Amino acid sequence: MAPIILFLLLALSFTASAQRQTNITLGSSLTPITNSSWLSPSGLYAFGFFRQRNGYSLGVFLSGISLKTVVWAARRDDAPVPGNATLLFTSDGRVVLTSAQGGETLIVSASQPASLASMSDSGNFVLYNSDREIIWQSFDHPTDTLLPTQQLKAGAELFSPVSETELSTGIYRLKMQNDGNLVQYPVNTPDTGSYAYFASGTDGAGDNVTLNLDPDGRLYLLNSTGFNIKNITAGGYPTKEAINMMKLDTDGIFRLYSQNLTRNGNRLDVWSSTSNKCDPKGSCGLNGYCVMKDKEAECTCLPGFEFVSQGNGTSGCERDFDAENESRCPKVSDFGLAKLLKSDQTKTFTGIRGTRGYVAPEWHRNMPVTVKADVYSFGVMLLEITCCRKNVDWLLPEDEAVLEQWVYQCFQDGDMDKLVGDEIVDKKELDRMVKVGLWCTLDEPSLRPSMKKVLLMLEGTVEIPIPPSPTSFFTAI
Ligand SMILES: *[C@@H]1O[C@H](CO)[C@@H](O)[C@H](O)[C@H]1NC(C)=O
Ligand SMILES: *[C@@H]1O[C@H](CO)[C@@H](O)[C@H](O)[C@H]1NC(C)=O
Ligand SMILES: *[C@@H]1O[C@H](CO)[C@@H](O)[C@H](O)[C@H]1NC(C)=O
Ligand SMILES: *[C@@H]1O[C@H](CO)[C@@H](O)[C@H](O)[C@H]1NC(C)=O
Ligand SMILES: *[C@@H]1O[C@H](CO)[C@@H](O)[C@H](O)[C@H]1NC(C)=O
Ligand SMILES: *[C@@H]1O[C@H](CO)[C@@H](O)[C@H](O)[C@H]1NC(C)=O
Ligand SMILES: *[C@@H]1O[C@H](CO)[C@@H](O)[C@H](O)[C@H]1NC(C)=O
Ligand SMILES: *[C@@H]1O[C@H](CO)[C@@H](O)[C@H](O)[C@H]1NC(C)=O
Ligand SMILES: *[C@@H]1O[C@H](CO)[C@@H](O)[C@H](O)[C@H]1NC(C)=O
């Protein structure tokens, strides 16, 4: 049925048809196997059950094409349900999922009972009250996708999915902040610059800035009085036989896709927020570090660590206990580290930046942020792996300062054993790691060594001078 409806759609221009809607009345129901969805008038979009893993989930998807593209998922973190579940638009105006055993789950939580639902050709699933006022709409609760005419409002966020086939909440978010800035962060991090890996740079544009998508694929920001304050994409992509949508992908990059609506039409990725797949922070898991190799992201473990699960970079890294028995710090000049340092050295840095959430002090001052911010981050990592025996994760700025000062104190007192407890370690190696770590984490960026020098110092190729106290320059600035 769907392909026939689709041919009808092709005669219509997208914008002209977007307002049309299929009305769904109280008492209607859907089941996963038969009558599984409510189609929009053109048949382009559907609200209903779609297959996910070993069961069914609910949402809005492109129904007219062979490969279903889910554009909105209801209760995305809930487990899929078996084929004997039912979706009910109850006579008292609620949209609920009922299990064969009789259990009920509210699918959308509107403030009042609905008297009508609709699936529109814009892809919006809407609930109305008895006065025909909108009381809930899927466009106001985006998951990972923005459709043409849909807005991401101030305070709202998109969350990446776990994978292409598992739509529950993944590890990245894109937030339309109340300060007017559109920013990307890993999930579970505060909304502060040091955790950000993309920003539109429009903070200060006033309250209620919105992210908008036009049918031709132009993504732009409007301020509260409706002025266009920034175009993120230029637009101009075909709208005939195609639909342009924006999606925050699993890898933390948001992309503009042009879905060809003709039979066997494909989906083209026409624009992405970055070409550097290492930009999204934390993609390599605990103790991992991302390096670009032939335009692809590759995870590397920090010195002294190995992959938790071989061949799976995103699983993160754990201590390599075999190596540890020989020396607390395994060969730091190994291939992985050399590559990591080399890649850092050749990057150029602009905009908001930092690495893995280690906040270089220049962030907090009105100072230019350069490649030395990454030297700083690397230094904190060195100190942490060397001295803390804990997994490298998001450190708070306060912890960093305390760590540096504590390490320096032990170093100054010649009390390095304190740093490693009862561990039997190679003293020379430890001494090198600590000294390099202290140099890298100096407050004043110009005093930090270059990454190239860091590598030579870790290898033992060059002498490492005694590092100054971490606080002595702090007070001077
Ligand atoms: C659907 O309901 C709306 C609001 O009551 C009404 O304006 C529209 O004509 C209805 N559409 C159809 C196809 O019945
Ligand atoms: C599907 O829904 C239609 C309209 O509500 C109904 O007439 C038809 O019997 C249903 N089909 C099945 C198999 O339940
Ligand atoms: C519904 O389906 C599930 C999974 O197939 C099954 O375990 C359960 O017993 C079924 N419930 C009823 C009432 O048929
Ligand atoms: C929106 O932008 C326009 C043009 O820059 C500006 O004149 C207007 O004051 C802005 N509105 C708000 C609420 O900041
Ligand atoms: C922003 O939106 C909120 C909620 O709709 C409203 O109360 C507030 O007045 C708006 N602010 C501006 C500057 O438009
Ligand atoms: C954004 O693009 C539109 C269409 O090309 C153009 O009219 C508008 O001036 C641009 N706005 C800004 C702020 O660059
Ligand atoms: C969509 O695909 C068809 C068939 O592959 C092709 O002829 C058409 O030009 C494509 N349309 C767009 C807008 O890319
Ligand atoms: C890789 O590891 C992650 C995290 O442990 C896991 O969720 C994912 O399924 C793994 N992928 C593969 C291909 O094994
Ligand atoms: C490393 O040392 C631990 C603790 O002494 C010991 O249990 C383990 O077997 C050793 N591993 C290897 C590979 O020698």
Side-chain angles (χ1 to χ4, degrees), residues 147-448:
L147 291 174
T149 75
Q150 185 175 7
Q151 286 187 323
L152 189 65
K153 299 206 166 81
E157 301 179 74
L158 297 181
F159 288 90
S160 64
V162 165
S163 72
E164 289 273 308
T165 51
E166 156 94 53
L167 305 181
S168 52
T169 311
I171 61 171
Y172 294 107
R173 60 198 178 105
L174 170 69
K175 184 165 187 180
M176 185 67 254
Q177 295 187 162
N178 288 309
D179 65 1
N181 213 1
L182 179 72
V183 191
Q184 284 194 271
Y185 305 99
V187 297
N188 302 326
T189 60
D191 295 358
T192 52
S194 48
Y195 295 99
Y197 63 89
F198 168 92
S200 60
T202 47
D203 43 316
D207 293 343
N208 299 344
V209 170
T210 54
L211 173 66
N212 298 264
L213 176 63
D214 271 4
D216 75 344
R218 185 160 58 98
L219 261 180
Y220 56 99
L221 297 170
L222 290 181
N223 76 7
S224 61
T225 41
F227 280 88
N228 181 332
I229 52 169
K230 182 163 187 151
N231 285 322
I232 294 169
T233 63
Y237 300 103
T239 52
K240 197 166 174 278
E241 302 178 356
I243 191 149
N244 301 300
M245 59 179 82
M246 187 270 254
K247 186 176 177 211
L248 174 55
D249 281 321
T250 299
D251 62 5
I253 295 173
F254 67 95
R255 297 184 174 82
L256 200 64
Y257 288 100
S258 186
Q259 172 70 59
N260 187 320
L261 296 175
T262 58
R263 205 197 293 266
N264 304 322
N266 56 358
R267 192 178 76 155
L268 291 178
D269 143 14
V270 293
W271 179 89
S272 44
S273 56
T274 177
S275 57
N276 186 345
K277 292 187 179 167
C278 281
D279 274 359
K281 291 175 177 174
S283 59
C284 290
L286 286 179
N287 309 315
Y289 205 90
C290 185
V291 288
M292 282 294 279
K293 194 185 173 196
D294 301 329
K295 294 187 183 164
E296 289 302 321
E298 196 179 275
C299 292
T300 301
C301 289
L302 289 168
F305 289 77
E306 61 183 13
F307 288 118
V308 170
S309 149
Q310 272 304 325
N312 181 353
T314 61
S315 64
C317 308
E318 61 189 3
R319 284 199 152 274
D320 176 353
F321 287 104
D322 287 359
E324 210 179 356
N325 284 4
E326 290 159 27
S327 153
R328 179 160 175 77
C329 313
K331 300 284 176 278
V332 288
S333 58
D334 73 7
F335 179 61
L337 180 62
K339 203 165 53 177
L340 175 158
L341 295 173
K342 216 169 144 202
S343 82
D344 260 20
Q345 191 193 324
T346 55
K347 274 193 222 159
T348 53
F349 301 115
T350 52
I352 291 184
R353 68 158 301 109
T355 303
R356 284 197 60 97
Y358 295 109
V359 193
E362 49 268 37
W363 275 112
H364 306 301
R365 296 176 204 142
N366 208 7
M367 285 171 76
V369 175
T370 65
V371 63
K372 292 292 180 71
D374 270 19
V375 174
Y376 177 92
S377 309
F378 185 76
V380 180
M381 283 194 296
L382 271 185
L383 293 181
E384 225 191 359
I385 334 164
T386 316
C387 313
C388 287
R389 305 204 43 79
K390 68 173 212 186
N391 285 332
V392 180
D393 200 359
W394 310 100
L395 257 196
L396 294 171
E398 311 84 72
D399 297 338
E400 285 171 31
V402 170
L403 173 66
E404 283 150 43
Q405 276 162 37
W406 177 65
V407 173
Y408 187 79
Q409 201 56 53
C410 296
F411 174 74
Q412 204 178 30
D413 299 348
D415 206 359
M416 303 279 274
D417 290 345
K418 239 190 210 162
L419 297 177
V420 290
D422 301 333
E423 206 80 18
I424 297 164
V425 299
D426 180 329
K427 291 262 155 57
K428 270 196 196 136
E429 195 92 47
L430 173 67
D431 187 65
R432 272 208 295 267
M433 299 270 280
V434 167
K435 280 202 280 193
V436 171
L438 287 170
W439 272 110
C440 291
T441 52
L442 285 176
D443 258 42
E444 172 53 41
S446 65
L447 292 176
R448 295 175 206 147

Side-chain angles (χ1 to χ4, degrees), residues 21-23 116 118 128 132:
Q21 63 180 55
T22 299
N23 290 337
L116 185 75
S118 77
Y128 302 87
R132 293 294 182 263

Side-chain angles (χ1 to χ4, degrees), residues 20-36:
R20 301 199 312 142
Q21 63 180 55
T22 299
N23 290 337
I24 300 131
T25 52
L26 296 177
S28 303
S29 64
L30 296 173
T31 61
I33 320 291
T34 53
N35 281 349
S36 65

